Amino acid sequence: MLRKISIAIVSSSILVSLQALAAPSILAKEITLDYRRYEVTASPAESKRVVFYALTKGNSSQPFSVTLTAPAGVKPKAAIAGSKGVPAVQAIAGRSFYPIGLRTTGQIAAQNACLKFSPGEGSGEKDDVPPISRPESDSPLCDLFSEAEMAAFAETLSAVYGGPWSRAQVCGYLVENYFGGQEGCDPHDPACVVTTAKTVQATSRTLFTAVERTTLYYGIIHKNACAPKNSKYMVRLEVDLSKIDPVAHPLVHITIQASEFAYAGGKAASIKPQSSGRFAPQPVLLMTFIGTMCGQKLSLAKWKGSTLQSVTALKLGDLVPYKGWILTRSPISRVLTGGRGTFELTSAYAGYGACFELIRRRQKVNGY
């Protein structure tokens, strides 16, 4: 599901004055994060950088994609900051931006670690598992998972709820619990996650023209889960043209499409100060599984007000069943050093953040 972001229009006079002040000159353009297509024609002799910027709001970290068509060898740089002041001014002159790593589909595949299921957390986490309905589904959303993954889901659901689980029942469970009940997702709707996935596969192949390349990138829009839900952020995407020969290429064409992926699944999470399972007696972080066994990433973001201070990559542990949920379980003793932070669980298409005090104390958020 893609979320449409409303952006205020900045007057062209502001942009003109900003470009006049910039040295070297910067061409700035406002965009939206709804996969809308934007095109810019720039002169490398006059504009050494092209800056695209968009506003987004909320307090839950979200994955996003960027499809860029630009001269071969040109790569975008992404950054995030709390939104303040005039958007165009902040986009060009802002100093509080934190870099966002962008990865291609090939890089994601090369780093694609997979999680395995483990027994539950022991007596401290046991509950009577309530009965659950087993609606069947053949939704195309389930095609995002391999047959091996669907079989692993079936095995785990059987262990939690009893009895055999068919592929159709597993699909119904995933649609109901992780895709917000999007049973009728239209394959022709650009907001459909399956369409997005298939677009990814099609456009991940680099397309060449005489001087241009189209590449798909993925990144995470970091947001402070400890801040209010109406917090605003700016995403900045920069394209550096300084290495383009202005004689050979007096004009270059750049096309960009960016999309933020809104997550509709559960966000229940907890810190357990002393675990009783595989990682005992370490403290562990339990976060609701986001619907993919491979490609999930866990990180800790620390903020100071609206300014992102650091992002620390953490190692995911395994998957455990609990209360009818499937949870990721990860040891986190090394980052419980005080203060507060946002733990981010993300994949290429889904993700969320949860706010915790970074201390060894039992904590539960988001309906855990």
Side-chain angles (χ1 to χ4, degrees):
M1 179 185 299
L2 306 181
R3 183 171 62 192
K4 190 171 184 179
I5 310 297
S6 297
I7 307 291
I9 301 298
V10 178
S11 71
S12 58
S13 61
I14 294 178
L15 294 181
V16 170
S17 63
L18 285 169
Q19 291 174 38
L21 292 173
S25 58
I26 299 172
L27 178 63
K29 186 173 184 64
E30 189 173 14
I31 66 173
T32 54
L33 300 177
D34 55 5
Y35 212 64
R36 194 173 304 177
R37 182 184 178 92
Y38 294 89
E39 296 185 16
V40 167
T41 299
S43 167
E46 298 176 0
S47 300
K48 300 302 181 183
R49 292 166 56 207
V50 178
V51 175
F52 300 95
Y53 61 96
L55 301 184
T56 180
K57 63 181 180 180
N59 66 350
S60 186
S61 302
Q62 306 267 84
F64 77 114
S65 68
V66 179
T67 301
L68 180 73
T69 300
V74 171
K75 298 179 181 179
K77 291 183 179 180
I80 184 76
S83 176
K84 54 187 176 181
V86 179
V89 174
Q90 184 183 3
I92 292 177
R95 304 294 182 186
S96 60
F97 283 88
Y98 190 92
I100 298 174
L102 295 177
R103 299 185 298 164
T104 64
T105 51
Q107 290 171 329
I108 290 174
Q111 303 166 5
N112 201 1
C114 299
L115 297 178
K116 296 182 179 180
F117 286 101
S118 296
E121 267 294 279
S123 59
E125 292 288 344
K126 285 183 178 176
D127 289 85
D128 292 329
V129 178
I132 187 172
S133 62
R134 301 188 185 191
E136 296 187 354
S137 173
D138 60 355
S139 170
L141 290 165
C142 297
D143 293 340
L144 291 170
F145 303 99
S146 68
E147 290 306 312
E149 289 175 325
M150 294 296 282
F153 286 138
E155 181 180 347
T156 298
L157 291 169
S158 178
V160 175
Y161 296 108
W165 280 69
S166 68
R167 187 189 189 285
Q169 290 173 329
V170 172
C171 183
Y173 175 85
L174 292 171
V175 168
E176 185 173 304
N177 291 278
Y178 295 105
F179 295 111
Q182 300 174 58
E183 186 70 46
C185 185
D186 182 355
H188 301 291
D189 181 354
C192 175
V193 67
V194 172
T195 301
T196 302
K198 291 182 178 179
T199 301
V200 167
Q201 296 169 7
T203 59
S204 62
R205 298 186 299 270
T206 302
L207 307 177
F208 291 93
T209 62
V211 293
E212 296 179 352
R213 169 189 284 182
T214 297
T215 308
L216 177 64
Y217 300 91
Y218 289 97
I220 303 299
I221 298 177
H222 304 285
K223 298 179 182 179
N224 187 359
C226 303
K229 291 183 179 180
N230 62 353
S231 299
K232 296 180 180 179
Y233 300 86
M234 175 180 286
V235 178
R236 184 175 70 186
L237 299 162
E238 294 186 60
V239 178
D240 185 355
L241 301 180
S242 62
K243 295 182 180 180
I244 302 295
D245 183 351
V247 176
H249 305 292
L251 290 176
V252 296
H253 300 281
I254 300 171
T255 302
I256 193 167
Q257 294 171 279
S259 301
E260 183 176 14
F261 297 92
Y263 176 65
K267 300 179 181 179
S270 176
I271 287 179
K272 191 175 182 183
Q274 184 172 332
S275 62
S276 55
R278 171 186 171 191
F279 302 108
Q282 299 179 71
V284 292
L285 173 69
L286 301 164
M287 294 187 73
T288 302
F289 172 66
I290 57 175
T292 176
M293 295 176 67
C294 301
Q296 292 186 93
K297 294 180 64 179
L298 178 64
S299 58
L300 172 64
K302 292 185 178 181
W303 296 77
K304 184 176 181 180
S306 61
T307 302
L308 182 57
Q309 300 290 302
S310 66
V311 177
T312 302
L314 303 175
K315 186 176 181 179
L316 280 162
D318 54 15
L319 297 173
V320 294
Y322 170 62
K323 270 190 175 180
W325 296 324
I326 298 174
L327 304 172
T328 60
R329 176 178 60 175
S330 307
I332 55 168
S333 58
R334 72 182 181 94
V335 296
L336 298 184
T337 55
R340 293 200 301 174
T342 296
F343 285 102
E344 302 172 325
L345 181 63
T346 58
S347 68
Y349 310 106
Y352 67 95
C355 173
F356 284 101
E357 290 184 75
L358 302 178
I359 58 176
R360 294 194 181 207
R361 177 174 63 80
R362 182 65 167 187
Q363 300 173 60
K364 301 177 182 181
V365 300
N366 301 333
Y368 188 94

